[in-house]
C-alpha cells in the first residue's frame, strides 16, 4: 500500500512511501490486541488499596459483656467485623496486578492495530518535523492542516525531538511519542496515526 508524503501544510510533496505488508497488511488478531491492552492497563494500576483487618484495628481487647444471659449473641471484642469501626472482612491488600506477556504477542497486537488503521485509511505520513522552540500554536497549525484537530491523533516522531512533544503537551487530543516507546494502547486509542517519514524505517527495525 502506497501513501503520499504530506508537508506541514497538509499538501502532498509528490513523494510516496510503501507501507510494509508484514506490518500494515496482516489479518488483525483481536485476542492479541485484547491481551496487550489488558496487560498495559494492569501495569498502570498501583495496587496500593488496603483495609484493616480485626487484628490491625485500634481498640480495646476487653470482653464487651458476659458470655451468657444477655439475650443477644456473644461478643468478645469491639474490633469484631460485626461492629461499627471494627475490622474489614476480606478487604483489599496491596498486590501487583501485572502479568507477563510474550514479546511476540505484543508485536502481533501492534501490527494488528496498524493493519486495521491502514484499512480504514487512518494512517498519514508527514515529512520530518523539527521545532526550534516549543510552540503549541505551530503544532496546532499542523493539526488543522491535516484536518485532525477534533480527532484523537498519535504522532510518531524521531527520538530527541523533545520540542515536538512539549508543543503538543497542552493539546488534549494530540499524543506525541517515538517508535521505541509506542504501545498497542496508544495505537488503538488514536483515530489517526501520523508517522514522520523517517520513523517508518525505525518501525521496520523494531518489528522485523
Amino acid at each position: 500500500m502506497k501513501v503520499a508524503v504530506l508537508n506541514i501544510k497538509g499538501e502532498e510533496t509528490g513523494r510516496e512511501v510503501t507501507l510494509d505488508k508484514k506490518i500494515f497488511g496482516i489479518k488483525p488478531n483481536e485476542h492479541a490486541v485484547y491481551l496487550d491492552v489488558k496487560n498495559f492497563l494492569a501495569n498502570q494500576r498501583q495496587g496500593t488499596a488496603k483495609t484493616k483487618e480485626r487484628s490491625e484495628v485500634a481498640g480495646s481487647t476487653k470482653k464487651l459483656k458476659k458470655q451468657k444471659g444477655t439475650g443477644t449473641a456473644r461478643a468478645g471484642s469491639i474490633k469484631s467485623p460485626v461492629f461499627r469501626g471494627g475490622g474489614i472482612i476480606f478487604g483489599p491488600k496491596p498486590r501487583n496486578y501485572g502479568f507477563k506477556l510474550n514479546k511476540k504477542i505484543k508485536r502481533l497486537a501492534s501490527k494488528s492495530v496498524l493493519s486495521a488503521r491502514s484499512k480504514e485509511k487512518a494512517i498519514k505520513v508527514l515529512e520530518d518535523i523539527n521545532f526550534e522552540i516549543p510552540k503549541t500554536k505551530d503544532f496546532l497549525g499542523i493539526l488543522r492542516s491535516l484536518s485532525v484537530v477534533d480527532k484523537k491523533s498519535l504522532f510518531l516522531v524521531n527520538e530527541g525531538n523533545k520540542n515536538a512533544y512539549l508543543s503538543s503537551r497542552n493539546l488534549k487530543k494530540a499524543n506525541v511519542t517515538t517508535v521505541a516507546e509506542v504501545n498497542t494502547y496508544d495505537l488503538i486509542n488514536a483515530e489517526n496515526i501520523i508517522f514522520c517519514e523517517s520513523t517508518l524505517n525505525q518501525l521496520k527495525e523494531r518489528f522485523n
Side-chain angles (χ1 to χ4, degrees):
M1 178 182 175
K2 291 186 176 181
V3 179
V5 179
L6 307 176
N7 59 24
I8 59 173
K9 295 181 180 179
E11 302 167 343
E12 293 188 7
T13 60
R15 301 195 310 277
E16 287 184 336
V17 291
T18 302
L19 300 180
D20 191 342
K21 289 183 179 180
K22 293 181 181 178
I23 300 174
F24 297 92
I26 70 168
K27 182 180 179 181
N29 188 314
E30 293 182 1
H31 188 62
V33 174
Y34 159 75
L35 288 175
D36 199 10
V37 171
K38 181 181 177 182
N39 177 258
F40 175 81
L41 294 177
N43 288 330
Q44 304 308 303
R45 298 184 68 174
Q46 288 184 320
T48 55
K50 172 75 170 66
T51 55
K52 291 185 178 181
E53 296 183 349
R54 63 183 296 165
S55 63
E56 299 169 309
V57 174
S60 173
T61 57
K62 180 182 177 182
K63 187 168 176 65
L64 297 178
K65 57 186 179 182
K66 64 181 183 178
Q67 182 81 344
K68 297 176 181 286
T70 61
T72 57
R74 55 192 174 182
S77 172
I78 193 66
K79 297 190 286 184
S80 171
V82 300
F83 295 121
R84 184 177 180 181
I88 303 297
I89 304 174
F90 302 131
K93 295 181 179 180
R95 55 168 290 195
N96 179 13
Y97 287 90
F99 60 94
K100 183 181 177 182
L101 194 64
N102 292 337
K103 288 182 179 179
K104 287 185 178 180
I105 299 291
K106 288 177 172 288
R107 290 196 195 103
L108 177 60
S110 295
K111 289 179 182 179
S112 296
V113 177
L114 289 171
S115 296
R117 289 288 182 268
S118 178
K119 290 177 183 177
E120 297 165 4
K121 297 185 178 179
I123 288 181
K124 301 178 186 294
V125 179
L126 187 69
E127 63 181 5
D128 291 347
I129 54 176
N130 188 23
F131 290 85
E132 294 182 1
I133 58 172
K135 202 162 187 180
T136 304
K137 183 178 179 180
D138 291 347
F139 198 90
L140 188 59
I142 295 175
L143 295 179
R144 286 183 179 137
S145 300
L146 298 174
S147 303
V148 293
V149 176
D150 299 324
K151 298 178 181 179
K152 288 184 179 179
S153 302
L154 175 66
F155 281 77
L156 291 165
V157 300
N158 292 312
E159 292 183 18
N161 199 341
K162 187 177 180 181
N163 288 336
Y165 165 74
L166 294 174
S167 299
S168 66
R169 195 165 48 173
N170 292 334
L171 303 173
K172 289 184 179 180
K173 294 193 174 183
N175 182 19
V176 173
T177 187
T178 63
V179 169
E181 295 176 350
V182 73
N183 56 67
T184 303
Y185 181 80
D186 289 337
L187 293 172
I188 203 170
N189 195 40
E191 296 175 70
N192 287 281
I193 302 172
I194 296 114
F195 288 90
C196 283
E197 190 175 359
S198 60
T199 59
L200 289 172
N201 290 327
Q202 297 173 19
L203 194 70
K204 285 182 182 179
E205 292 176 5
R206 175 178 171 178
F207 288 135
N208 296 331

